[in-house]
Amino acid sequence: AVLRMVHLTLYNANAAGVGCSICGESAAVPALASRYVQLGARSLSMAAPSIPEVKDALLELDLSALPFTPPLPPAVEALQNG
């Protein structure tokens, strides 16, 4: 449920051209940082010691395959379309 809300927030921010950052300890977890980028995050904030490990994880992602605004989960799309 939390990742769905993060996705919805990132989707709408990207669609509106508004910056949206993921900050805090969860952005410093390599697997979560990768997932946030896959969901549309373009800015992550974390403590400096976490950067090398997160950077390595992000470098393994194929960013060319990611859309600018990722598709919404079907349930969220249904809510938006009435």
Side-chain angles (χ1 to χ4, degrees), residues 6-7 11 13 15 25 30 37 41 47 50 55 57 60-61 74:
V6 169
H7 183 198
Y11 176 89
E25 293 303 313
V37 169
S50 302
K55 179 182 174 184
E60 298 206 11
L61 291 178

Side-chain angles (χ1 to χ4, degrees), residues 2 7 10 28-29 34 54 62 65 73 77-78 81:
V2 173
H7 183 198
L10 292 168
V29 176
S34 295
V54 170
D62 181 7
E77 189 173 333
N81 294 330

Side-chain angles (χ1 to χ4, degrees), residues 21-80:
S21 297
I22 303 290
C23 303
E25 293 303 313
S26 70
V29 176
L32 280 174
S34 295
R35 186 68 180 133
Y36 291 146
V37 169
Q38 291 170 333
L39 292 175
R42 299 296 176 259
S43 176
L44 302 171
S45 176
M46 67 199 72
S50 302
I51 293 173
E53 192 174 356
V54 170
K55 179 182 174 184
D56 289 343
L58 296 180
L59 287 173
E60 298 206 11
L61 291 178
D62 181 7
L63 297 179
S64 66
L66 296 178
F68 173 69
T69 52
L72 287 171
V76 175
E77 189 173 333
L79 287 173
Q80 284 192 336

